[in-house]
């Protein structure tokens, strides 16, 4: 790994979310739910880091944790340029970009307050990806389209 | 594809060919809906009417359709008497109902409720209106009314007047009109204009669509004037409401320059949008439209529950 980029302590095992669009690291942390990690794990956040690929970027590194597919989907929505690296024994074992599946379940709240998915029903919110550039999601229940994901994370 | 056993939640669930098939079947149902001929295709069927929001017209026409086909209904006509009052979910209520009946007709104040009901039920679900969302059977009967009046749908010029923002019938209708290559003219006050995503979707389908704020100009070459209710609650103040309601009032003077065959439609109930002096003119299509609700719903129930009439 290029030493100049590693301004924070290396982790032995965990996950690195790199190439997060500038300024969205804290949202990514919120999705990860950093408070749910065990008390001995380190979470480091680098804000406003130079990137060859995307100008400026944020990076989040979390020790002793791998992301659930659902959290990866949420990250894909707000930070589509992000890459996720799995670190084991200080080495990058796996690296992939986040990509959007066709359906997004349980990640977002429908922006339509009157949608049945916002009522106390035994169901999860569900959206279909109806456009990719730019990303537009359509609620599987009420048909409302949304492209503002940041404000509607469940 | 056959409708047998299928849900009907949104008009978008149907292809143009399927809509044509339903309209043809509905046309044949007219004498049975009038009671001059008798059918028993639903003789062994029980249909649940799950109305979680008051609606006399839609519910009665559905019940009438079931009875005219020789079937029976069980009805929730008022949500306040059900256990939903005690906090039971819609999901559970529908799950239970689907074990009692062969199909469920649902009306509910929340958008997406019919889609949820379809998932909860292992019997076919027909959407009779969910919030400001979909009302596909209304669209089908609107289409039948136009087709009956003009012998065709394609190429008709249809003015959609009034509340194009919240009006639950107009979005479904506009979609169907686009499918049939109609020209859609939007006439609405700016505050009640068709929302952008809805318009984008229509344009995406290749719809001929334009705006014309001036009603008199809009109807000059129109075949159909589709009037919707403008609700007082949508306006900040009374004056604004009166102004809009006044400028969109349909009366004999307005229709003076219209085509002789212009059909005026309205999903009813009207509250002053159309002057009663129109009622006895050839322009008035709204009472026929209300009647056609029955054969359309008969055709749908018949196709969904009995697989359509063989050799009909
Ligand atoms: N042991 C470690 N502890 C913390 N972070 C690490 C560790 N090893 C690698 N990383 C970080 O994981 C990410 C992926 O590592 P890699 O070595 O593939 O970086 P890279 O060559 O910069 O790749 P990229 O093209 O994704 O930018 C980088 O952000 C890197 O800083
Ligand atoms: Mg790098
Ligand atoms: Zn929704």
């Amino acid at each position: 790994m290029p030493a100049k980029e590693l301004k924070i302590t290396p982790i032995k095992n965990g996950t690195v979310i790199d190439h997060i669009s500038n300024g969205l690291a804290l949202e990514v942390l919120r999705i990860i739910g950093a408070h749910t990690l065990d008390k001995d794990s380190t979470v480091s956040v680098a804000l406003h880091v130079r990137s060859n690929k995307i100008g400026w970027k944020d990076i989040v590194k979390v020790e002793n944790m791998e992301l659930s597919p659902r959290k990866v989907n949420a990250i894909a929505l707000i930070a589509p340029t992000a890459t996720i690296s799995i670190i084991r024994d200080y080495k990058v074992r796996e690296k992939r970009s986040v990509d959007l599946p066709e359906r997004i379940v349980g990640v977002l709240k429908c922006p339509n307050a009157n949608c049945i998915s916002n009522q106390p029903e035994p169901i999860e919110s569900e959206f279909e990806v109806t456009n990719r550039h730019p990303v537009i999601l359509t609620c599987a229940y009420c048909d409302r389209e949304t492209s503002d994901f940041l404000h509607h994370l469940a | 594809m056959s409708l047998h056993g299928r849900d009907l939640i949104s008009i978008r669930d149907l292809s143009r060919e399927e809509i044509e098939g339903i309209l043809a079947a509905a046309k044949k149902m007219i004498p049975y809906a009038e009671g001059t001929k008798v059918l028993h295709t639903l003789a062994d069927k029980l249909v649940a009417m799950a109305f979680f929001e008051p609606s006399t017209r839609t519910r009665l026409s559905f019940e009438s359709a079931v009875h005219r086909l020789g079937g029976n209904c069980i009805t929730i006509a008022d949500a306040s008497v059900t256990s939903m009052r005690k906090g039971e979910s819609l999901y559970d209520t529908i799950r239970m109902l689907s074990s009692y009946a062969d199909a469920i007709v649902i009306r509910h104040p929340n958008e997406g409720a019919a889609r949820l009901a379809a998932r909860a039920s292992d019997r076919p679900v027909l959407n009779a209106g969910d919030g400001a969302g979909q009302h596909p059977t209304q669209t089908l009967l609107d289409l039948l009314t136009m087709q009956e009046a003009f012998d065709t749908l394609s190429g008709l010029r249809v003015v959609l007047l009034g509340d194009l923002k919240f009006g639950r019938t107009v979005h479904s209708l506009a979609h169907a009109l686009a499918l049939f290559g109609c020209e859609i003219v939007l006439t609405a006050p700016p505050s009640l204009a068709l929302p952008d995503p809805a318009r984008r979707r229509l344009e995406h389908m290749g719809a001929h669509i334009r705006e014309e704020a001036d009603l008199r100009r809009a109807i000059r070459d129109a075949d159909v004037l589709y009037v919707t209710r403008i609700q007082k609650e949508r306006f900040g103040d009374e004056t604004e409401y009166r102004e809009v309601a006044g400028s969109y009032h349909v009366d004999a003077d307005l229709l003076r320059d219209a085509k002789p065959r212009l059909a005026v439609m309205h999903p009813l109930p009207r509250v002053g949008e159309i002057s009663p002096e129109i009622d006895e003119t050839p322009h008035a299509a709204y009472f026929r439209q209300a009647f056609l609700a029955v054969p359309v719903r008969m055709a749908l129930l018949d196709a969904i529950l009995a697989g359509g009439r063989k050799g009909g």
Side-chain angles (χ1 to χ4, degrees):
Chain A
M1 80 204 83
K4 58 175 174 6
E5 196 178 85
L6 205 58
K7 290 175 184 160
I8 34 191
T9 341
I11 53 180
K12 184 164 189 230
N13 298 303
T15 302
V16 174
I17 303 138
D18 196 353
H19 309 111
I20 301 168
S21 338
N22 183 26
L24 292 178
L26 297 179
E27 292 302 330
V28 169
L29 268 185
R30 201 158 72 80
I31 292 168
I32 294 171
H35 58 280
T36 62
L37 298 171
D38 70 70
K39 64 178 172 25
D40 298 320
S41 300
T42 302
V43 178
S44 14
V45 178
L47 298 174
H48 212 61
V49 179
R50 238 262 153 270
S51 157
N52 295 329
K53 289 183 191 158
I54 59 169
W56 296 96
K57 66 175 180 180
D58 291 354
I59 310 174
V60 171
K61 305 191 179 191
V62 196
E63 222 180 359
N64 303 324
M65 182 216 63
E66 293 191 10
L67 290 169
S68 66
R70 191 166 281 210
K71 287 179 179 174
V72 174
N73 288 344
I75 293 169
L77 277 177
I78 64 158
T81 54
T83 55
I84 296 183
S85 303
I86 310 293
I87 312 293
R88 293 206 190 97
D89 201 21
Y90 296 105
K91 295 210 170 62
V92 178
R93 291 295 171 198
E94 225 180 88
K95 181 157 70 175
R96 54 191 181 92
S97 48
V98 295
D99 51 13
L100 270 187
E102 271 165 32
R103 283 191 172 264
I104 309 274
V105 178
V107 168
L108 291 175
K109 270 166 60 77
C110 180
N112 173 9
N114 199 44
C115 175
I116 194 75
S117 70
N118 287 319
Q119 297 296 316
E121 292 289 333
I123 52 152
E124 292 192 285
S125 71
E126 189 173 322
F127 294 84
E128 198 187 321
V129 179
T130 44
N131 201 62
R132 287 188 177 257
H133 305 286
V135 177
I136 297 176
L137 303 184
T138 303
C139 175
Y141 288 97
C142 76
D143 236 25
R144 174 76 66 93
E145 291 184 344
T146 174
S147 45
D148 174 17
F149 314 123
L150 209 47
H151 296 102
H152 295 110
L153 288 173
Chain B
M1 207 166 104
S2 150
L3 289 177
H4 196 195
R6 270 168 64 184
D7 301 313
L8 179 58
I9 307 303
S10 160
I11 195 74
R12 274 190 278 272
D13 297 345
L14 299 172
S15 67
R16 176 174 167 160
E17 289 67 34
E18 286 168 339
I19 293 176
E20 283 168 342
I22 294 164
L23 297 181
K27 212 169 155 185
K28 288 188 195 135
M29 283 292 180
I30 291 173
Y32 302 94
E34 287 166 338
T36 54
K37 287 184 176 183
V38 180
L39 256 186
H40 296 285
T41 53
L42 297 193
D44 50 351
K45 300 287 195 260
L46 194 53
V47 179
M49 301 289 154
F51 278 68
F52 299 97
E53 188 183 74
S55 148
T56 324
R57 193 173 316 267
T58 304
R59 180 167 60 80
L60 289 183
S61 66
F62 262 112
E63 286 180 351
S64 156
V66 172
H67 290 301
R68 293 284 195 198
L69 291 170
N72 286 294
C73 301
I74 52 175
T75 297
I76 300 176
D78 177 5
S80 61
V81 304
T82 73
S83 55
M84 291 198 66
R85 248 307 205 26
K86 302 177 201 148
E88 184 178 35
S89 65
L90 175 64
Y91 191 94
D92 286 2
T93 307
I94 295 297
R95 187 85 200 251
M96 173 235 14
L97 263 188
S98 80
S99 68
Y100 298 165
D102 299 297
I104 298 173
V105 175
I106 182 175
R107 157 72 62 100
H108 195 280
N110 287 113
E111 285 98 64
R115 194 68 76 188
L116 178 142
R119 290 182 173 194
S121 167
D122 49 17
R123 301 306 182 111
V125 170
L126 289 87
N127 186 3
D130 55 346
Q134 301 288 325
H135 194 2
T137 63
Q138 176 73 44
T139 299
L140 291 166
L141 74 91
D142 292 343
L143 294 177
L144 183 62
T145 310
M146 294 181 202
Q147 194 188 57
E148 197 182 55
F150 297 97
D151 283 321
T152 179
L153 286 170
S154 61
L156 292 181
R157 179 174 294 173
V158 180
V159 179
L160 300 177
L161 171 71
D163 180 355
L164 308 186
K165 185 172 183 185
F166 302 99
R168 108 162 105 205
T169 55
V170 291
H171 299 178
S172 304
L173 179 59
H175 171 90
L177 294 174
L179 270 188
F180 283 91
C182 298
E183 185 184 335
I184 303 168
V185 182
L186 306 172
T187 302
S191 58
L192 296 178
L194 189 71
D196 281 341
R199 175 149 191 174
R200 250 189 285 114
R201 272 190 196 186
L202 292 168
E203 280 165 354
H204 203 75
M205 295 171 66
H208 307 283
I209 187 164
R210 64 183 170 88
E211 263 154 65
E212 177 52 73
D214 185 87
L215 176 57
R216 205 170 272 276
R217 229 176 330 181
I219 62 169
R220 198 165 293 154
D221 298 306
D223 300 301
V224 176
L225 172 60
Y226 193 96
V227 187
T228 62
R229 213 167 344 140
I230 294 187
Q231 286 169 300
K232 226 192 213 135
E233 309 88 86
R234 305 295 185 202
F235 291 86
D237 65 294
E238 179 87 20
T239 334
E240 196 194 343
Y241 164 72
R242 274 176 201 283
E243 217 167 88
V244 170
S247 64
Y248 290 158
H249 183 68
V250 178
D251 57 18
D253 173 57
L254 175 79
L255 299 188
R256 226 182 26 220
D257 309 325
K259 283 190 183 176
R261 289 186 64 192
L262 171 81
V264 178
M265 295 175 59
H266 191 299
L268 301 182
R270 60 175 158 175
V271 282
E273 298 90 348
I274 302 175
S275 163
E277 66 194 19
I278 308 295
D279 293 1
E280 302 311 324
T281 73
H283 294 303
Y286 32 92
F287 294 124
R288 182 66 180 169
Q289 183 186 1
F291 161 71
L292 290 174
V294 180
V296 162
R297 287 165 181 155
M298 286 172 77
L300 281 168
L301 288 163
D302 186 51
I304 289 171
L305 278 170
R309 245 168 356 118
K310 289 175 194 76

